[in-house]
Amino acid sequence: MQRLLTAAVLVPLALLAVFQLPSWAWLAIVLAVLVGAAIEFVRVARSWAPDAPLAGFPVLMVVASVALAYHEKGGPHGPAVVWAFAALVTLGFGSFALLARTPPAQSLPALGALAFGVPYFALPAAAIYRLHVRDPWLVILLFAIVWLGDTAAYYVGSRFGRHKMAPVVSPKKSWEGAIAGLAVSLLATVAWALLRRPEVGWGELLVIAAATAVAAQLADLVESLLKRGAGIKDSGNLLPGHGGLLDRVDALLFGAPVLLAGIWYFGGGW
């Protein structure tokens, strides 16, 4: 019941923000939420690297997110931003860990947290912003695929799940729930298209939706893997029935970049 009540409060607020805010303000809201999730991610990472210099991680994530959000795709500075991001992941983080005097025994976990964590948050932040710039209804499509699919997977899996999907990582997740989640994601996409974009090619649409739904389910398992390794159940307790912010947005972190990439790939119809 707590899960439903929390959703009943958050979903209208999210919809209001999507349609009422300009894109720059929408990005600010997205970053505020992801900063909270990033702080929870640091808490998880500290299980392996308690003395590593991770306090500045949310700032690094925000800088990378803004750089990716505002660079021109295919423009004159596009390749430079990509190379700069790659340099940040290797040269930048390596030098940062060295100069911050990371304990040698914690250097590899610290670098792993930085090198995985910054793109983990920055790519979806930029993707959600670019979806909004293109058409706020694409953000609604993302939410429909990810959140309705997740809800279906949760309730069908809880009631009918018999075949465990990843028993070591997430014992409660089942193949029955995953299939139900994928089916509901596709149905939600069809409903969205009928209401908003009936002219879009159905084959392309369903391929993009399926890829996004699968990526979202994988993201949920990846976050469970991180928490399992850290020995914690939830990333936080901010949202009753949902855990922490990272627990609520984890599926978006993989789903948003995949949806944007699919739209870019298929091009003009969108």
Side-chain angles (χ1 to χ4, degrees):
M1 180 59 70
Q2 279 187 329
R3 187 182 182 96
L4 291 175
L5 291 175
T6 300
V9 173
L10 294 181
V11 169
L13 291 177
L15 295 177
L16 185 65
V18 168
F19 290 113
Q20 296 300 318
L21 294 179
S23 291
W24 66 265
W26 169 246
L27 176 60
I29 295 293
V30 170
L31 287 176
V33 172
L34 291 186
V35 163
I39 292 171
E40 295 175 353
F41 174 83
V42 170
R43 174 190 167 214
V44 174
R46 287 205 181 280
S47 298
W48 292 281
D51 303 312
L54 299 177
F57 175 85
V59 176
L60 293 173
M61 181 274 291
V62 169
V63 171
S65 298
V66 172
L68 289 172
Y70 282 103
H71 96 276
E72 296 180 15
K73 182 177 75 73
H77 303 296
V81 172
V82 173
W83 280 101
F85 191 80
L88 174 69
V89 171
T90 53
L91 173 64
F93 291 155
S95 300
F96 177 74
L98 175 65
L99 296 175
R101 298 184 179 181
T102 303
Q106 299 176 29
S107 59
L108 190 57
L111 287 172
L114 291 169
F116 172 75
V118 169
Y120 184 50
F121 292 101
L123 287 174
I128 294 171
Y129 166 77
R130 286 187 168 273
L131 288 170
H132 190 272
V133 169
R134 197 175 187 105
D135 182 355
W137 279 96
L138 291 175
V139 179
I140 301 303
L141 174 61
L142 173 66
F143 289 167
I145 292 172
V146 172
W147 287 344
L148 293 180
D150 177 70
T151 300
Y154 176 80
Y155 285 107
V156 172
S158 299
R159 179 66 178 85
F160 301 105
R162 298 293 182 270
H163 301 84
K164 300 301 181 183
M165 191 175 183
V168 174
V169 174
S170 186
K172 292 185 178 180
K173 287 185 172 58
S174 66
W175 283 107
E176 290 85 354
I179 292 169
L182 176 60
V184 169
S185 293
L186 294 177
L187 288 173
T189 302
V190 170
W192 177 90
L194 290 173
L195 292 171
R196 183 64 185 171
R197 293 285 187 87
E199 77 282 0
V200 170
W202 287 96
E204 297 173 358
L205 174 68
L206 294 178
V207 167
I208 294 172
T212 302
V214 171
Q217 294 197 29
L218 288 173
D220 201 337
L221 289 172
V222 167
E223 197 233 352
S224 295
L225 178 66
L226 298 176
K227 292 188 297 184
R228 179 72 59 178
I232 60 176
K233 180 179 183 295
D234 295 320
S235 65
N237 55 11
L238 182 63
L239 303 175
H242 293 271
L245 282 173
L246 183 56
D247 294 320
R248 182 62 278 173
V249 303
D250 56 355
L252 293 172
L253 301 183
F254 283 9
V258 169
L259 178 60
L260 180 64
I263 291 170
W264 276 349
Y265 180 80
F266 285 110
W270 295 81

